[in-house]
């Protein structure tokens, strides 16, 4: 298991024009801890939809790289999105799941991954071109390279510690987040 915050920082180091969509809770806090960025699209109260927002963005902006950074709870709630991504085969989309085996946002109840549900295996069966299982922080540079140059769809299943880190909370103003993102990604 690894500390998710330095792993996310490693993924986003020298990010360039990478478009980043974050899921509810911890993944948003981790991305915001790397520094607020106009190309971060924070989703609030949208559990289960993060991968689909990323897919829509990847299809609409085939000229840009898109990284979804989310948690196991959000991914479990939207499992069907993995099948849709597998069918659509967007070559510019990466899904990074920070799997702490808990529903952090609602009180740390064990998620289905704690009972053995294999998200990486699910992505493989949904025909993701590349699936990576990550448990060590030193893999961050290689995963970062995949986000920028890998042939997608890519699924990175990162096993992280179940801890409660300081919450770095970016804007919750959905309209302002959208406007800023649209302007920065034009």
């Amino acid at each position: 298991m690894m500390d998710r915050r330095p792993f996310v920082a490693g993924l986003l180091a020298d990010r360039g024009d990478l478009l980043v969509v974050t899921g509810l809770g911890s993944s948003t806090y981790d991305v915001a801890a790397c520094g607020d960025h106009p190309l971060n699209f924070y989703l609030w109260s949208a559990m289960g939809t993060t991968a689909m927002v990323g897919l829509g963005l990847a299809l609409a902006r085939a000229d840009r790289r898109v990284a979804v950074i989310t948690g196991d709870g959000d991914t479990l709630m939207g499992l069907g999105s993995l099948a849709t991504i597998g069918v659509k085969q967007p070559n510019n989309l990466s899904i990074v799941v920070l799997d702490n085996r808990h529903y952090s946002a609602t009180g740390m109840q064990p998620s289905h991954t704690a009972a053995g549900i294999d998200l990486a295996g699910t992505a493989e069966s949904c025909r993701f071109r590349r699936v990576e299982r990550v448990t060590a922080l030193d893999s961050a540079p290689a995963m970062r390279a995949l986000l920028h140059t890998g042939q997608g769809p890519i699924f990175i299943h990162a096993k992280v510690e179940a801890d409660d880190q300081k919450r770095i909370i970016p804007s919750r103003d959905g309209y302002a987040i959208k406007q800023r993102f649209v302007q920065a990604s034009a």
Side-chain angles (χ1 to χ4, degrees):
M1 301 299 159
M2 64 182 155
D3 186 334
R4 67 178 199 260
R5 189 126 320 151
F7 177 70
V8 171
L11 291 178
L12 296 180
D14 301 318
R15 67 181 276 168
D17 64 353
L18 182 67
L19 305 177
V20 177
V21 179
T22 66
L24 173 70
S26 297
S27 58
T28 290
Y29 308 146
D30 294 339
V31 169
C34 296
D36 189 29
H37 196 286
L39 295 177
N40 291 346
F41 193 77
Y42 307 111
L43 292 177
W44 293 106
S45 301
M47 191 159 174
T49 66
T50 312
M52 291 307 286
V53 170
L55 172 63
L57 184 57
L59 294 175
R61 294 300 309 264
D63 61 320
R64 301 289 292 272
R65 302 295 296 197
V66 177
V68 168
I69 301 177
T70 193
D72 50 309
D74 179 57
T75 303
L76 287 162
M77 187 166 280
L79 274 180
S81 62
L82 299 182
T84 303
I85 291 167
V87 168
K88 298 305 276 183
Q89 289 291 300
N91 64 3
N92 60 330
L93 178 62
S94 298
I95 308 291
V96 179
V97 177
L98 305 172
D99 184 359
N100 69 359
R101 297 154 320 284
H102 291 85
Y103 294 104
S104 302
T106 61
M108 295 300 284
Q109 302 87 351
S111 78
H112 295 21
T113 61
I117 296 302
D118 181 8
L119 294 176
T122 302
E124 287 171 340
S125 70
C126 290
R127 300 191 316 232
F128 274 67
R129 286 194 183 133
R130 179 103 182 240
V131 176
E132 295 289 334
R133 292 168 172 85
V134 179
T135 59
L137 189 55
D138 62 1
S139 64
M143 297 304 103
R144 181 189 160 281
L146 271 180
L147 296 181
H148 290 276
T149 62
Q151 182 70 15
I154 296 165
F155 190 89
I156 299 170
H157 187 209
K159 297 270 187 140
V160 298
E161 295 171 1
D163 58 3
D164 189 20
Q165 298 198 17
K166 181 180 178 184
R167 294 180 178 188
I168 308 301
I169 301 175
S171 173
R172 290 183 176 221
D173 182 337
Y175 180 77
I177 292 167
K178 181 189 118 188
Q179 292 303 106
R180 178 180 84 157
F181 185 83
V182 167
Q183 287 177 341
S185 63

